[in-house]
Amino acid sequence: MLKKLFFLPLFLSLLGFGGCAVKRYEKPHPALIVLKTPKLKYADQGFVYRGRDRVKVQVYASGKAVLTLTAGRNLCIDGKCMEERRFDEAFLGVVYPEGTMRSIFLGRPIFGKKGLQCSRGRCEQRIDEPGRYDIIYAFDSGHVRFKDRKNHILIKMTEIR
């Protein structure tokens, strides 16, 4: 009887903590992923893990993860995290407004919805700021395409269904 009384609170506390645990990401979605920037060049299959305000993208080649990029509060590439501004400077060569990379990988509007046009579930933004960037960004539920023609940046994700 004493053993039952001891294990009951332990069991209930474990059930309470485990049952209410917040999942960081939903199930992974296989995707074709293209990242072409001045410093990153990847085009292969991978997985996209989405969370409420974070996303993880893994690119595989020959069955091994060759790139893991996580975008949340900070941007992490292969486990090395940095502020988004530093990431933009180091890997893109241009600094975008905060949250741009995370929004692209989550398939959400960027630049405060500037130039946003949606029709039949597909959205597009065209953002042209002479001397800074020339962006065409299109997204829907299973596809993201971001192209900055001035800075030679292409990000594409197409979910495999």
Side-chain angles (χ1 to χ4, degrees):
M1 178 72 172
L2 189 57
K3 285 184 181 179
K4 288 182 182 177
L5 289 176
F6 174 74
F7 285 110
L8 183 62
L10 179 65
F11 174 75
L12 291 175
S13 66
L14 289 174
L15 180 65
F17 287 122
C20 297
V22 177
K23 293 181 182 177
R24 293 191 75 196
Y25 300 105
E26 62 184 39
K27 71 177 188 161
H29 298 278
L32 297 172
I33 301 166
V34 176
L35 292 170
K36 289 185 181 179
T37 75
K39 301 253 175 125
L40 299 172
K41 302 210 184 308
Y42 295 95
D44 225 317
Q45 291 186 353
F47 291 95
V48 178
Y49 302 80
R50 287 188 179 89
R52 198 171 118 218
D53 287 323
R54 67 179 59 89
V55 63
K56 179 169 75 171
V57 176
Q58 288 185 314
V59 179
Y60 285 81
S62 300
K64 293 185 180 185
V66 293
L67 173 75
T68 300
L69 189 136
T70 307
R73 178 177 280 173
N74 292 315
L75 281 158
C76 304
I77 189 159
D78 295 329
K80 296 175 186 162
C81 297
M82 60 191 82
E83 291 177 350
E84 190 169 352
R85 181 177 185 83
R86 277 194 42 222
F87 176 89
D88 288 357
E89 290 169 347
F91 294 101
L92 306 179
V94 60
V95 177
Y96 295 119
E98 190 173 331
T100 299
M101 293 304 293
R102 180 178 62 232
S103 293
I104 291 169
F105 288 115
L106 287 169
R108 296 180 182 165
I110 57 173
F111 288 70
K113 298 183 179 182
K114 180 178 181 180
L116 180 65
Q117 295 181 341
C118 295
S119 175
R120 298 183 189 155
R122 182 163 175 80
C123 296
E124 185 175 293
Q125 288 180 266
R126 291 180 181 263
I127 303 162
D128 187 8
E129 290 192 22
R132 294 189 72 194
Y133 21 75
D134 180 9
I135 296 170
I136 299 172
Y137 173 52
F139 59 96
D140 59 31
S141 64
H143 181 79
V144 170
R145 185 174 191 275
F146 173 91
K147 184 169 186 170
D148 184 342
R149 295 185 290 198
K150 182 191 179 315
N151 296 296
H152 310 288
I153 296 169
L154 175 65
I155 300 170
K156 285 175 49 174
M157 294 188 318
T158 304
E159 289 184 17
I160 302 168
R161 297 177 189 214

